């Protein structure tokens, strides 16, 4: 009888542990936990006089890496493919990410893959969503993940309907 009780007890504990694991998977945002341990990213923002709709913008970040960002097409249309062309002073950057999000209102966050084209040229392709608000302000964050901490460049641009 005691073996049967132990068996039932072990089964109940096993089921309880499985339920906790499954609930944890769905209820815990593990990315935010990972970001918490990595720490905040220290961004350098572009000069406020630079307008990506007219020209390329340049930022030199903390480790002296230079980024020059241009967009094509220049009018930055909504619901159409946009190329984010990046020229860097470093030819072979790894762990490079581009995150695009609106600062005017929440329109989602877009994590865009950056393709290394060689010789310090990189490219990312994204489509921004349409919105009824004119003059939407956006950030395009280029982030480099390093063991010593994350650093990056923050480019700011606007879209119009």
């Amino acid at each position: 009888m005691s073996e049967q009780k132990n068996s039932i007890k072990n089964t109940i504990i096993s089921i309880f542990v499985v339920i906790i694991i499954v609930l944890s998977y769905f209820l815990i945002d593990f990315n935010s936990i990972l970001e918490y341990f990595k720490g905040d990213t220290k961004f350098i923002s572009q000069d406020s006089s630079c307008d990506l709709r007219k020209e390329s913008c340049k930022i030199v970040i903390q480790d002296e890496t230079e980024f020059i960002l241009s967009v094509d097409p220049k009018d930055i249309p909504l619901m159409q493919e946009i190329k984010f062309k990046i020229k860097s002073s470093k030819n072979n950057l790894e762990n490079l990410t581009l995150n695009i999000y609106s600062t005017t209102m929440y329109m989602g966050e877009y994590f865009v893959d950056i393709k290394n084209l060689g010789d310090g040229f990189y490219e990312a392709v994204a489509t921004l969503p349409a919105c009824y608000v004119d003059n939407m302000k956006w950030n395009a964050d280029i982030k480099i993940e390093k063991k010593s901490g994350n650093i990056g460049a923050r480019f700011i641009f606007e879209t119009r309907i």
Side-chain angles (χ1 to χ4, degrees), residues 56-118:
S56 299
C57 295
K58 174 181 159 181
I59 297 176
V60 178
I61 62 173
Q62 297 89 331
D63 69 350
E64 301 303 317
T65 301
E66 178 181 280
F67 289 110
I68 300 171
L69 178 70
S70 63
V71 293
D72 183 35
K74 284 287 184 202
D75 63 338
I76 311 176
L78 300 174
M79 298 303 294
Q80 292 180 30
E81 202 171 80
I82 302 165
K83 287 186 182 178
F84 292 85
K85 298 176 181 181
I86 304 163
K87 170 69 175 129
S88 177
S89 58
K90 297 198 175 165
N91 293 338
N92 209 8
L93 291 170
E94 294 181 13
N95 299 324
L96 196 62
T97 61
L98 179 66
N99 182 21
I100 302 171
Y101 56 95
S102 173
T103 58
T104 306
M105 65 187 299
Y106 184 73
M107 299 290 291
E109 268 189 271
Y110 305 93
F111 298 92
V112 185
D113 292 331
I114 296 177
K115 186 189 306 183
N116 185 343
L117 304 176

Side-chain angles (χ1 to χ4, degrees), residues 14 30 36-37 42-43 50 54-55 65-66 71 86-87 90-91 100 103 113 116 126 129 138-139 145 148 152-153 157:
S14 297
F30 291 103
Y36 173 78
F37 285 110
K42 295 174 180 76
F43 287 103
C50 189
K54 296 178 183 170
E55 62 187 335
T65 301
E66 178 181 280
V71 293
I86 304 163
K87 170 69 175 129
K90 297 198 175 165
N91 293 338
I100 302 171
T103 58
D113 292 331
N116 185 343
W138 299 81
N139 285 350
E145 295 182 10
S148 58
F157 63 95

Side-chain angles (χ1 to χ4, degrees), residues 7 9 14 16 18 27 38 65 71 95 108 125 128 135 149 154:
S7 177
K9 183 178 174 183
S14 297
F16 182 72
V18 168
L27 298 177
K38 283 185 178 179
T65 301
V71 293
N95 299 324
V125 178
L128 298 178
N135 197 22
R154 175 166 289 153

Side-chain angles (χ1 to χ4, degrees), residues 4-19:
Q4 190 177 12
K5 284 184 181 179
N6 281 341
S7 177
I8 292 173
K9 183 178 174 183
N10 287 340
T11 303
I12 291 172
I13 289 172
S14 297
I15 291 171
F16 182 72
V17 168
V18 168
I19 288 172

